[in-house]
Amino acid sequence: MRWKQAVVTALLLWIALVPQGGRGETPAQLGLIVVGTLEDARMVLDRLKSGDDFAALAREHSIDPTAKDGGNLQVDPDDLRLELRDALRSIQPGQVTSIVKIPTGYAILKLLKESPGKAAVEDRTRTLAVTGPPAVRLAPSVSGYSEFYEAFRTSVPTGPEGRDFAMDLKRVCDAREQAPRNAIAAVQGRLSREGPSMEPRALAYTRYTLAELWSSIGDVNYAIKEWEGVYQSAIASSDEELAQHMEEVLGAGYLHRASAEDHVSHAAIEIGRIFPSHPGAIHAIPADVEKAIEYLTKALKREPSNTELQWLLNLAYMTQGSYPSKVPKEFLIPPSVFASKEDLGRFPDVAPAAGLNTYGMAGGVIIDDFDNHGFLDVVTSEVDDCAPLHYFHNNGDGTFTNRTQQAGLSDQTGGLNLIQADYNNDGCVDFLVLRGGWEFGRRRSLLRNNCDGTFTDVTAQSGLLAGPILPSQSAVWTDIDNDGNLDLFVANENAPSQLFRNQGDGTFVDISHQAGIDRSAFSKAVVSVDYDNDGYPDLYVSNFNGPDFLYHNNGDRTFTEVSQKAGVGLPWMSFAAWFFDYDNDGWPDLFVTSYFYSVEEVANSYIGLPRKGETLKLYKNMKDGTFRDVTVETGLDRVFMPMGANFGDIDNDGFLDIYLGMGNPSYATLMPNVLLHNQEGKHFVDITTSSGTGALSKGHGVAFADLNNDGDEDLFVVMGGPQAGDRNISRLFENPGGHGNDWITLRMVGVKSNRSAIGARITVTVENEGRRRTICRTVGSGGSFGASPLQQHIGLGKSARIENIEVWWPASKTKQNFTNVQPNQFLEIKEFEKAPVKLTRHSFRLGGAARNTGS
């Protein structure tokens, strides 16, 4: 819809990159060379002008997937990116273009005189660099985030004052609160002055903008009033396109208000926002749900094949407690679509009883033992620049106490993501706050643990504020040179990435350029592991709207980008990512999520209809520096909309499972978070419904952790959207246990290697009822949005007899082997020590009541 495209202002970048215009009659026969640097592009162009063969140069130098075919590419000219179309207009067959900057690097095209043979263009991944991703149906803008952001962004000073502003969290908070209110006043003033004389569509768009701004600050009542006005105008003027769009907007708006915190109790939200809802479980304002059903039904009657509308209508009936019986048969998505093929028990939400039911916006989470008392604490953040961090101390009895103020963290506001490590090797866990993701740069904060229950902001003296203040939500701690000091890699958004080398004295120095990793992209995740087991950690960066980067560590503090060679450049629209050994073969595999603003694509994945969007990607490590795409064979070829994500072993079978937190700013992007069970490294099965973990509110920071020391991992999820109108409660899903499998938890302590033991490799050889196998882990905090404990919880399977625990330490390059270790206990393993140390821990029920005392 043209109207739909007009109002989704948050997606202007996306739309600009989707090819526009009509279809050409005949695919063009092109040659394509893409290189990583401008210098390389100039060298190639000079050689072409000197008469060198285009195909030979493509094979030798191009980083594009077409290189192996000599750059041969068949593509409709109208599908090309605008800058490439413009370049082609100036050349004749047989000629080459000038150098053109594209997201993957620097391109040179040749318009061939005749086809050199068929190119495998049926695989769209070969053409993404020059065409962009496929156009998909976009979710409607219902939340006001883009209007809020535009108002916020335009209130931010530029130049030297802009840096001062970005450094002052209080000024940023004040601007965040005032900017949308100023915008509301401005739009109201314009309507008062010009409204009667406005052209109908212009008036409708202006009122829509006002509604979105009201929605962004949480006043859905005023938003709905304006949306209703736009709809009535569309009906009066017989504007069918606008009317249908507004029917979906109003359906989503009423559905959102029906269960908003202002009207419904926490208890109702906890029951009702688990997908799919049980019949009869009414947990919302009935009148609002009826209005949502009315509008969504009208829209569906206009376009019965619209699965986005069908999804929202079924969801409205769930909210009413009348799914599936009351859903019109022609629009019903049957319960069988959501049924789990496995049942590992239901994970109850115990956040309120445990004192962890935070209520807020999108943010990050760290779970770790911050005061070395033997229990895992919880730190959360919010994207809201006015909201402080929350530091929850584990009381050791199933409850948590908020000690934010006592810890000295009350003035640390905002932060979309958090990551932890003992960066100064003093034995206490520190952490980093990342700010500005999706928006504009704010200062980051390095918070040093004083080992006495308090933290000190040491960002300035550490050197991490040198250079420009850039937006980011992505960073990783890793020891790039094995000197025992953890370095920090930050992947920024539309700006060069930064690598800070830890100098071992509490300070860092930026070595990004000389290390060769200062590429610019809209980066959403960065993770690290030694993927080729050569002794040095490598880096992977996932990028939104562009190819991903895999940086191979050369062992001399420099890196080489090898994503194309390794076969891991996709998805094009990437978000969360991590390395994990999903099949326990001793080689880290790579998981990367795709991310599309499309309810339709997600709904089609559930229903089993054709999809346009890219699926998740699981790449199996082939042990030779390359990876093989095993997405389809492992059952992960689905389109989701994941933001926060992490992995853990929910049933202690030794294989790592996946949890995905879903959503996007629009209130229309209502879909459940997803729990995927790993079946012995062969296949992943969706157990969201049977586990009861399908929280519907926006899912962000995710962490797996044994919060009650009972030997199985619980699941904590920060919930909520990026604006005030979409706050929600966090979830703590307690593992029901009873899986019948053994486990071991290892607290790793480096001596020559970094104290956090990040990058250390653990291999447990275990016998399960006569079957011998290995279980492999690399020490780290898990996924890229949400941080699990650095201590390693390892499931061992049934009747486990541990034959050996092998630990490889990265700095000393030494191995330890421990035999005759009993399962179901907590151990500390220290580098160079001859034997592990047993740690005494007591377990308890989350929410209270001790269970037992012992190991």
Side-chain angles (χ1 to χ4, degrees), residues 396-409:
D397 61 1
T399 66
F400 293 77
T401 300
N402 191 335
R403 291 190 181 176
T404 305
Q405 185 173 358
Q406 298 93 314
L409 297 173

Side-chain angles (χ1 to χ4, degrees), residues 571-582:
W572 190 265
M573 309 297 294
S574 296
F575 201 149
W578 59 67
F579 287 100
F580 68 162
D581 191 350
Y582 82 95

